[in-house]
Amino acid sequence: DAGVIQSPRHEVTEMGQEVTLRCKPISGHNSLFWYRQTMMRGLELLIYFNNNVPIDDSGMPEDRFSAKMPNASFSTLKIQPSEPRDSAVYFCASKFGHQNTEAFFGQGTRLTVV
Amino acid sequence: AQTVTQSQPEMSVQEAETVTLSCTYDTSESNYYLFWYKQPPSRQMILVIRQEAYKQQNATENRFSVNFQKAAKSFSLKISDSQLGDTAMYFCAFSVNNAGNMLTFGGGTRLMVKP
Protein backbone atom coordinates (compact mmCIF):
# COMPACT_ATOMS: atom_id res chain seq x y z
CA ASP A 1 0.00 0.00 0.00
CA ALA A 2 1.24 3.50 -0.81
CA GLY A 3 0.23 4.86 2.58
CA VAL A 4 -1.96 7.86 3.22
CA ILE A 5 -1.85 10.13 0.21
CA GLN A 6 -2.45 13.85 0.49
CA SER A 7 -2.65 16.40 -2.27
CA PRO A 8 -1.40 18.90 -3.00
CA ARG A 9 1.92 18.88 -1.09
CA HIS A 10 2.10 22.64 -1.25
CA GLU A 11 -0.60 25.24 -1.87
CA VAL A 12 -0.23 28.99 -2.12
CA THR A 13 -3.41 30.97 -2.46
CA GLU A 14 -4.67 34.49 -2.06
CA MET A 15 -6.80 35.58 0.85
CA GLY A 16 -10.47 35.07 0.13
CA GLN A 17 -9.99 32.16 -2.22
CA GLU A 18 -11.41 28.70 -1.66
CA VAL A 19 -8.91 25.96 -0.83
CA THR A 20 -9.56 22.23 -0.99
CA LEU A 21 -7.18 19.71 0.53
CA ARG A 22 -7.52 16.05 -0.38
CA CYS A 23 -6.76 12.79 1.36
CA LYS A 24 -6.80 9.15 0.37
CA PRO A 25 -6.56 6.91 3.45
CA ILE A 26 -4.99 3.48 3.53
CA SER A 27 -7.32 0.87 2.09
CA GLY A 28 -9.22 -0.94 4.84
CA HIS A 29 -8.78 1.77 7.45
CA ASN A 30 -12.07 2.98 8.90
CA SER A 31 -10.99 6.02 10.92
CA LEU A 32 -9.71 9.23 9.34
CA PHE A 33 -8.34 12.32 11.05
CA TRP A 34 -7.51 15.85 9.92
CA TYR A 35 -4.85 17.70 11.93
CA ARG A 36 -3.41 21.20 11.61
CA GLN A 37 0.17 21.96 12.64
CA THR A 38 1.45 25.45 13.41
CA MET A 39 4.41 26.74 15.38
CA MET A 40 2.14 28.51 17.84
CA ARG A 41 -0.46 25.81 18.47
CA GLY A 42 1.33 22.58 17.62
CA LEU A 43 -0.76 19.67 16.31
CA GLU A 44 -4.48 20.25 16.62
CA LEU A 45 -7.18 17.75 15.75
CA LEU A 46 -9.72 19.42 13.48
CA ILE A 47 -12.16 16.59 12.80
CA TYR A 48 -12.29 12.84 12.65
CA PHE A 49 -14.47 10.32 10.85
CA ASN A 50 -15.34 6.75 11.74
CA ASN A 51 -16.80 4.63 8.93
CA ASN A 52 -17.18 7.81 6.85
CA VAL A 53 -19.29 9.51 9.52
CA PRO A 54 -18.00 12.66 11.27
CA ILE A 55 -17.64 11.82 14.97
CA ASP A 56 -16.17 15.00 16.42
CA ASP A 57 -15.71 18.29 14.61
CA SER A 58 -15.24 20.41 17.71
CA GLY A 59 -11.72 21.24 16.59
CA MET A 60 -12.83 22.92 13.39
CA PRO A 61 -11.91 26.56 14.00
CA GLU A 62 -14.86 28.27 12.33
CA ASP A 63 -17.59 27.90 9.78
CA ARG A 64 -15.11 28.67 7.03
CA PHE A 65 -13.80 25.13 7.51
CA SER A 66 -15.70 22.09 6.33
CA ALA A 67 -14.76 18.44 5.81
CA LYS A 68 -16.40 15.60 3.94
CA MET A 69 -15.83 11.91 3.52
CA PRO A 70 -18.11 10.75 0.71
CA ASN A 71 -16.66 7.24 0.71
CA ALA A 72 -14.09 5.10 2.49
CA SER A 73 -11.28 6.06 0.13
CA PHE A 74 -11.52 9.84 -0.05
CA SER A 75 -11.85 12.88 2.18
CA THR A 76 -11.62 16.62 1.65
CA LEU A 77 -10.99 19.60 3.89
CA LYS A 78 -12.24 22.87 2.48
CA ILE A 79 -11.54 26.41 3.61
CA GLN A 80 -13.79 29.11 2.18
CA PRO A 81 -12.85 31.92 2.27
CA SER A 82 -9.22 31.42 3.23
CA GLU A 83 -7.34 33.85 5.50
CA PRO A 84 -3.61 34.36 6.19
CA ARG A 85 -4.03 32.86 9.69
CA ASP A 86 -5.04 29.57 8.06
CA SER A 87 -1.45 29.14 6.87
CA ALA A 88 -0.23 25.86 8.35
CA VAL A 89 0.62 22.27 7.53
CA TYR A 90 -2.50 20.12 7.33
CA PHE A 91 -2.14 16.40 7.99
CA CYS A 92 -4.49 13.57 7.23
CA ALA A 93 -4.14 10.30 9.15
CA SER A 94 -5.97 6.98 9.06
CA LYS A 95 -6.17 3.89 11.21
CA PHE A 96 -8.00 0.60 11.45
CA GLY A 97 -10.58 -0.51 13.93
CA HIS A 98 -11.70 0.67 17.33
CA GLN A 99 -8.52 -0.49 18.99
CA ASN A 100 -5.73 1.93 19.74
CA THR A 101 -3.75 0.88 16.74
CA GLU A 102 -1.18 3.03 15.01
CA ALA A 103 -2.40 6.04 13.08
CA PHE A 104 -0.62 6.44 9.75
CA PHE A 105 -0.03 9.99 8.59
CA GLY A 106 0.19 11.46 5.14
CA GLN A 107 3.05 13.80 4.30
CA GLY A 108 0.91 16.85 4.87
CA THR A 109 -0.13 19.85 2.80
CA ARG A 110 1.70 23.08 3.46
CA LEU A 111 -0.85 25.86 2.94
CA THR A 112 0.23 29.46 2.56
CA VAL A 113 -2.45 32.13 2.33
CA VAL A 114 -1.11 35.51 1.19
CA ALA B 1 -10.64 16.52 28.41
CA GLN B 2 -7.22 15.01 27.94
CA THR B 3 -4.06 17.12 27.90
CA VAL B 4 -0.49 16.22 27.06
CA THR B 5 2.46 18.34 28.17
CA GLN B 6 6.03 18.22 26.94
CA SER B 7 8.07 20.58 29.09
CA GLN B 8 11.26 20.55 27.01
CA PRO B 9 10.89 22.59 23.80
CA GLU B 10 14.44 21.79 22.69
CA MET B 11 17.14 19.32 23.63
CA SER B 12 20.52 18.30 22.28
CA VAL B 13 22.67 15.21 22.75
CA GLN B 14 26.01 14.03 21.51
CA GLU B 15 26.04 11.16 19.08
CA ALA B 16 26.18 7.75 20.83
CA GLU B 17 24.95 9.16 24.13
CA THR B 18 21.58 8.68 25.82
CA VAL B 19 18.82 11.26 26.07
CA THR B 20 15.43 11.26 27.81
CA LEU B 21 12.44 13.27 26.63
CA SER B 22 9.70 14.05 29.15
CA CYS B 23 5.94 13.83 28.78
CA THR B 24 3.11 14.17 31.26
CA TYR B 25 -0.59 13.80 30.64
CA ASP B 26 -3.83 14.37 32.41
CA THR B 27 -6.90 12.17 32.15
CA SER B 28 -9.65 10.68 34.23
CA GLU B 29 -9.81 7.60 32.04
CA SER B 30 -8.34 4.30 33.17
CA ASN B 31 -7.97 2.61 29.80
CA TYR B 32 -5.80 4.45 27.31
CA TYR B 33 -2.74 4.27 25.09
CA LEU B 34 0.34 6.46 24.87
CA PHE B 35 2.53 7.01 21.85
CA TRP B 36 5.73 8.72 20.81
CA TYR B 37 5.87 9.99 17.23
CA LYS B 38 8.92 11.32 15.42
CA GLN B 39 8.76 14.07 12.82
CA PRO B 40 12.03 14.51 10.90
CA PRO B 41 12.63 17.49 8.59
CA SER B 42 10.81 15.59 5.84
CA ARG B 43 7.62 16.35 7.82
CA GLN B 44 6.51 12.71 7.86
CA MET B 45 5.02 11.57 11.19
CA ILE B 46 6.48 8.23 12.20
CA LEU B 47 5.41 6.07 15.14
CA VAL B 48 8.37 5.34 17.41
CA ILE B 49 6.80 3.40 20.26
CA ARG B 50 3.48 2.80 22.01
CA GLN B 51 2.41 1.77 25.52
CA GLU B 52 -0.87 0.30 26.73
CA ALA B 53 -1.91 1.78 30.08
CA TYR B 54 -2.96 -1.60 31.47
CA LYS B 55 0.54 -3.02 30.95
CA GLN B 56 3.02 -2.44 33.74
CA GLN B 57 6.01 -3.47 31.65
CA ASN B 58 7.66 -0.60 29.84
CA ALA B 59 7.67 -0.85 26.04
CA THR B 60 10.97 -1.18 24.19
CA GLU B 61 11.78 -0.88 20.49
CA ASN B 62 15.48 -1.35 19.76
CA ARG B 63 17.24 1.82 20.98
CA PHE B 64 13.97 3.39 22.13
CA SER B 65 12.33 2.67 25.47
CA VAL B 66 9.79 4.32 27.69
CA ASN B 67 9.46 4.90 31.41
CA PHE B 68 5.73 4.70 32.08
CA GLN B 69 4.67 5.86 35.53
CA LYS B 70 0.89 5.54 35.60
CA ALA B 71 0.32 7.00 39.04
CA ALA B 72 2.41 10.03 38.19
CA LYS B 73 0.88 10.23 34.68
CA SER B 74 4.33 10.35 33.19
CA PHE B 75 5.56 8.80 29.94
CA SER B 76 9.19 9.60 29.10
CA LEU B 77 11.12 8.40 26.04
CA LYS B 78 14.72 7.25 26.33
CA ILE B 79 16.89 7.11 23.23
CA SER B 80 20.07 5.12 23.69
CA ASP B 81 23.13 5.31 21.44
CA SER B 82 21.77 8.42 19.76
CA GLN B 83 22.32 8.65 16.01
CA LEU B 84 22.37 11.65 13.69
CA GLY B 85 19.20 10.33 12.08
CA ASP B 86 17.38 10.73 15.39
CA THR B 87 17.42 14.49 14.88
CA ALA B 88 13.72 15.40 14.69
CA MET B 89 10.69 16.75 16.52
CA TYR B 90 9.29 14.22 18.96
CA PHE B 91 5.63 14.27 19.94
CA CYS B 92 4.02 12.48 22.83
CA ALA B 93 0.41 11.50 22.15
CA PHE B 94 -2.51 10.09 24.09
CA SER B 95 -5.52 8.09 22.96
CA VAL B 96 -8.55 6.90 24.89
CA ASN B 97 -10.05 3.54 24.02
CA ASN B 98 -13.37 4.72 22.66
CA ALA B 99 -14.95 4.99 19.25
CA GLY B 100 -12.68 6.92 16.96
CA ASN B 101 -9.65 6.81 19.26
CA MET B 102 -8.46 10.29 18.39
CA LEU B 103 -4.88 11.22 19.21
CA THR B 104 -4.16 14.22 21.41
CA PHE B 105 -0.61 15.52 20.97
CA GLY B 106 1.81 17.39 23.19
CA GLY B 107 3.60 20.47 21.93
CA GLY B 108 6.69 18.54 20.87
CA THR B 109 10.39 18.49 21.73
CA ARG B 110 12.96 19.37 19.12
CA LEU B 111 15.94 17.01 19.47
CA MET B 112 19.28 17.76 17.89
CA VAL B 113 21.91 15.00 17.79
CA LYS B 114 25.38 16.49 17.47
CA PRO B 115 28.32 14.70 15.86
Side-chain angles (χ1 to χ4, degrees):
Chain A
D1 199 312
V4 176
I5 300 174
Q6 290 187 247
S7 63
R9 287 292 309 276
H10 305 275
E11 176 79 32
V12 180
T13 190
E14 292 185 347
M15 182 174 63
Q17 296 297 306
E18 176 180 299
V19 176
T20 299
L21 311 182
R22 296 172 174 80
C23 175
K24 176 178 167 55
I26 292 174
S27 177
H29 284 190
N30 62 351
S31 292
L32 183 140
F33 307 82
W34 282 100
Y35 287 89
R36 178 172 68 175
Q37 185 178 27
T38 61
M39 289 292 291
M40 292 297 294
R41 301 175 68 91
L43 272 162
E44 303 173 275
L45 177 66
L46 300 178
I47 184 171
Y48 72 96
F49 296 83
N50 197 37
N51 294 323
N52 311 339
V53 176
I55 303 299
D56 187 344
D57 65 354
S58 60
M60 296 285 262
E62 5 184 322
D63 292 344
R64 298 184 296 107
F65 286 69
S66 62
K68 294 182 180 179
M69 192 165 186
N71 56 61
S73 59
F74 184 66
S75 178
T76 59
L77 177 68
K78 184 181 294 186
I79 308 172
Q80 165 64 19
S82 58
E83 297 183 1
R85 59 193 169 116
D86 302 330
S87 297
V89 178
Y90 291 81
F91 285 99
C92 176
S94 71
K95 64 189 299 182
F96 171 74
H98 297 292
Q99 306 298 322
N100 281 287
T101 52
E102 176 183 357
F104 291 83
F105 283 75
Q107 291 201 291
T109 295
R110 180 177 293 279
L111 173 66
T112 303
V113 183
V114 297
Chain B
Q2 283 72 232
T3 60
V4 181
T5 302
Q6 294 179 247
S7 59
Q8 305 151 314
E10 293 186 358
M11 294 191 71
S12 64
V13 63
Q14 291 295 131
E15 194 176 8
E17 294 190 345
T18 296
V19 64
T20 299
L21 309 183
S22 301
C23 173
T24 58
Y25 59 94
D26 188 25
T27 183
S28 58
E29 301 286 339
S30 59
N31 187 15
Y32 51 87
Y33 285 66
L34 295 158
F35 304 82
W36 279 97
Y37 277 84
K38 169 185 177 181
Q39 187 180 40
S42 67
R43 216 166 66 198
Q44 182 71 49
M45 293 287 285
I46 304 164
L47 179 67
V48 174
I49 198 166
R50 87 187 88 188
Q51 173 80 42
E52 295 90 341
Y54 64 86
K55 288 187 177 179
Q56 291 186 336
Q57 185 173 5
N58 289 323
T60 299
E61 288 286 343
N62 300 314
R63 298 183 294 107
F64 299 87
S65 61
V66 299
N67 183 5
F68 175 46
Q69 301 290 327
K70 191 171 184 178
K73 297 181 180 176
S74 170
F75 182 61
S76 60
L77 174 70
K78 186 173 80 171
I79 306 174
S80 304
D81 186 25
S82 297
Q83 300 176 359
L84 297 178
D86 296 333
T87 293
M89 282 288 289
Y90 286 82
F91 293 94
C92 179
F94 174 98
S95 178
V96 176
N97 190 20
N98 57 15
N101 299 306
M102 67 179 193
L103 280 171
T104 301
F105 285 89
T109 296
R110 184 176 302 278
L111 177 66
M112 172 72 71
V113 180
K114 299 179 178 179

